[in-house]
Amino acid sequence: MNLHRQPIPVEEAVQRVMKHRPSQKLEEVRLEDSYGRMLAEDIKATHPVPPFSKSPYDGFALSAADTAQASKESPARFVVTETVAAGHRASRPLESGEAVRIMTGAEIPKGATAVAMFEICQTDEQANTTYMTIKRSLEDGQNIIGQGTETEEGEVLVHKGETINPGIQAVLATFGYANVRVYQRPRVGVFATGTELLDINQPLEPGKIRNSNAYMILAQIERSGAEPIYLGKLADDFDTCFEAVQQALSKVDCLITTGGVSVGDYDLMPDIYEKLGADVLFNKIAMRPGSVTTVAALGGQLLFGLSGNPSACYVGYELYTHPFIQGYLGNQRVYHNVIDAQLGADFSKPNPFTRFVRGFVRYEQGKVCVYPAGIDKSAVVTSLAHSNVLIVLRGGTRGYQRGDVVRAILLEDREGTETFQLYSS
Ligand SMILES: Nc1nc2c(c(=O)[nH]1)N[C@H]1C(S)=C(S)[C@@H](COP(=O)(O)OP(=O)(O)OC[C@H]3O[C@@H](n4cnc5c(N)ncnc54)[C@H](O)[C@@H]3O)O[C@H]1N2
Ligand code: MOO
Ligand SMILES: [Mg+2]
């Protein structure tokens, strides 16, 4: 066991991971299963929108020229020839002096150049004929949504690499994309290691704790847009762990383990990487928490050895595993977005290494503030419950005061950013 590991800067660790940027695979999914997936094709308008000129109101379609002289004193009078509901078409073109009763969304009949809303029209019946009178003039094109006025055929509306949101799903449906090409979600395996771990449905026993990290990581993987595969928990026994890890590699795109990466007698991951012949990219980072986060590469696959301490595990995932997963997903903006924000509370602990404080955002009188979410210790789990940012406190600083401007990494923002920038400058 090498007790003297050389810590590398966070940026360097991120770079070493991203050098292994994976290639993407495509698949087709049904439109109803596409929410949150990343588009692998540009989406073009396959027809104009709207595909035909239509009425935006319930009213009467008529020729605007017929209303040119209409006034209170001498209203224009029309014969109502028929009623056209949405989904139907007029039986014949309109002639001068005729109006068609038309409903919102129905196609404008030939010969009509405007629509008068019901509210400005009067109707009356005479000898089985319905008449409509109007006391004001209309302009050509008034109250008509013209064919193609929203979008012309051939226009690229959504680009490859965009994440499908409800609006994109509506656009896809508009153009009849029953299936859509997206980037495959990588299958990310998760093992929790530790003889002390109980399943979540087991009662507490002396010296044991429930396995919380696995469930946290499964949700983090989901939040990153990948497919989590829970592979179970492993006792700290070398042969068991080695076999399990080796076998898992053939079933997943990349593998996360939690626990066993430090220098303890039962921290087995370093020896497992060695026996696998994996290339350890780093095993010590100048950061808190998560300094022992270890990443190894084996034949194009990455093995993320996250810490067992819950907060360290959480931070290690967001800094290193999240951007790597974005690579699989075809996302150009692989890193979490960052903002400058005011620190909402004093943070008096000195920061020998760059510190990633789990916190949350508040908007206060137009200002964006970030607050530490609770006890700032690597071994703490409860403060994670209210965390949606990592507050970045520079290494080599003696503490921060409320009101200081700090950087915060946004964990729940979907936008992302192309460059990894920990500090403003
Ligand atoms: N002599 C040294 N000791 C330690 C060092 C060091 O540099 N020298 N580093 C400390 C730091 S920093 C951290 S962080 C931890 C990292 O430990 P490991 O990643 O090896 O993790 P374990 O030892 O397996 O477990 C640590 C802690 O976390 C709990 N744990 C583990 N798995 C889970 C789980 N799935 N759910 C909930 N909690 C879990 C475990 O019970 C331990 O309490 O090492 C320090 N030691
Ligand atoms: O990796 Mo430990 O969390 O640095 O405290
Ligand atoms: Mg340990």
Side-chain angles (χ1 to χ4, degrees), residues 50 80 85 95 153 162 166 190 213-214 222 238 286 295 304-305 328 353:
V80 179
E95 288 177 12
E153 184 171 342
E162 291 192 53
V190 179
N213 289 357
E222 193 93 50
F238 185 86
V295 179
F304 290 88
Y328 279 110
F353 298 108

Side-chain angles (χ1 to χ4, degrees), residues 284 287-293 307 309 311-312 378-379:
K284 191 92 179 168
M287 63 185 266
R288 281 281 188 281
S291 61
V292 295
T293 308
S307 170
N309 272 329
S311 285
S378 176

